[in-house]
Amino acid sequence: MQLTLWTYEGPPHVGAMRVAASMAGVHYVLHAPQGDTYADLLFTMIERADHRPPVSYTTFQARDLGGDTAGLVIEAVRDAAARFAPDALLVGESCTAELIQDQAGALAKSLGLAIPVVPLELPAYSKKENWGAAETFYQLVRATLLPNVPAPGTPRPPRDPARRPVANVLGPTALGFRARDDVRELRALMAEAGVDVGVVAPLGATVADLRRLPEADLNVCYAPETALSACEWLRRTFGQPVVRTVPIGVGATGDFLRELAAAAGLDAPNVRHDASRLPWYSRSADSTYLTGKRVFVFGDATHACAAARVAVEELGLDLVGLGTYSRELAREVRATGTKYDVEAFVSDDYLDVEARVAAAAPELVLGTQMERHTAKRLGVPCAVISAPLHVQDVPARHSPQVGWEGANVIFDAWVHPLMMGLEEHLLGMFRDDFEFHDGAAPSHLGARAPVAALGVPAAAQVAPAAAVAAPAPGAPRWQADAEAELRKIPFFVRPKARRNTERFAAERGVADISVEVLYEAKAHFSSTPHSGTPQAGAHAR
């Protein structure tokens, strides 16, 4: 265990809380001291849940350590079963309680309750939150379905051709990144593909729903970090194929639909890439400035791999860093890094990640809540793509990451920080320009707009553009072809180009500015760091 200020994942019992808080009728008894009773804050403050998580604590104190702490476990389990009448009970220990070795799960099993009791053995000093969620979900599914497990080698009966295929969606949990919105999008995507959704679990599921899992024809592994072990057990035990592609981005959504159709025994789908506006946006003129932008990606394995693919293949960004804190899925992330010629790394040290971001000098960071802080300190635009998250990453509006609409959301979320950076860049360049100063009239009112009528102080008013553009006595004169060439430059940088060119000519004693002088001036100021042109990576400090 590592003591740290920030952490990407909590201890494994937090993962168990996420499963319990996602389901209805499941209660979690946690053997924990007073200091470990912070679950309410996680779910009601960050995710703004409208109910407290279904967790009871033994809440032992230091003075209890010399007495019967095991008795506290038995009392808490009995109280929770009587008070909340759950359909299933999870029993485990926090990292601190693990040290006193009361074996809370075994104590609860010995009570002989009429409901399923699932003891959780979650090693807090070697495993973390996502592993705890995966292990809890797997143990709960296994305990619920064990009475119905067929004999080894029993073939799965074929699907009635008159019935539409049914697929479970496994993996979405509380505190997952946009899980609620992704489930809604997945339902629409699968319905369009001709596949009905059976059970969504653990988010919103009951114990009765878990008993229905084997009725579906296949399982969609929406979140491998939390559902892959349960999906693989269902495949081995009930013969249900697993769809592993997570449809984040246009390309992955197409791959998901093809894999889903193959697993469901349907014809290959006619994938419509124009169902999302991302491809058109990324080809539009406004997006040309994205091409070659340096991007650094860090998050859980699923979102990091998906973000790398979207960045490189769908937005034309240059991937300069890729990492994850998901040790269990490190192989997949390293393979993605190899595919895009980047050496992927695995780390749960936010200071290490921060140092890698600074060294890579990206122009956009795609990361977690922690990388948002890092990017802000370095002055780099950032978009959050993965848990851990902040309350602002749980929007009230529909904001999925998967499917066609998810691709639209991704485009907006990633490009807007870059556009904001561009705007700030332009404001810095032209703050003192006569066309863009604070007292300039709005462009839609035209050049004749009375600036004074807009309430602009007299000191801030400037001469009309025509008067400013007139050459001063002794200033270089513009030849007609040079003026025509100057008009080809975008309007918002044209005044700057004019002034720079005239200064260039005056410093060299050139009386007439020709096209050749214009381009000599352009080459000079493009290669001079003091020309006012921002240099690559300058904003990264």
Side-chain angles (χ1 to χ4, degrees), residues 45-124:
M45 290 186 65
I46 295 179
E47 200 164 42
R48 292 180 283 196
D50 58 0
H51 57 277
R52 296 179 61 188
V55 182
S56 296
Y57 304 95
T58 56
T59 323
F60 63 85
Q61 303 176 49
R63 63 173 178 264
D64 297 320
L65 295 178
D68 182 16
T69 52
L72 294 176
V73 175
I74 294 173
E75 182 182 354
V77 171
R78 282 177 172 160
D79 287 349
R83 179 181 178 188
F84 300 104
D87 299 320
L89 201 62
L90 305 173
V91 182
E93 302 156 321
S94 72
C95 46
T96 309
E98 185 180 337
L99 298 174
I100 59 178
Q101 299 181 344
D102 276 333
Q103 303 295 319
L107 289 171
K109 290 284 282 185
S110 69
L111 296 179
L113 299 177
I115 57 174
V117 175
V118 181
L120 299 177
E121 298 292 338
L122 306 177

Side-chain angles (χ1 to χ4, degrees), residues 3-27:
L3 294 178
T4 181
L5 179 63
W6 286 342
T7 180
Y8 291 102
E9 295 182 272
H13 71 263
V14 172
M17 286 183 189
R18 288 172 55 187
V19 173
S22 301
M23 298 185 65
V26 174
H27 198 86

Side-chain angles (χ1 to χ4, degrees), residues 441-455:
S443 58
H444 69 280
L445 297 180
R448 297 178 181 176
V451 178
L454 301 174

Side-chain angles (χ1 to χ4, degrees), residues 150-156 236-237:
T154 303
R156 182 177 178 82
R236 295 192 303 270
T237 308

Side-chain angles (χ1 to χ4, degrees), residues 514-535:
S514 62
V515 173
E516 290 74 19
V517 173
L518 174 63
Y519 278 100
E520 287 177 11
K522 179 177 182 297
H524 170 76
F525 287 107
S526 297
S527 60
T528 304
H530 303 295
S531 64
T533 303
Q535 301 303 299

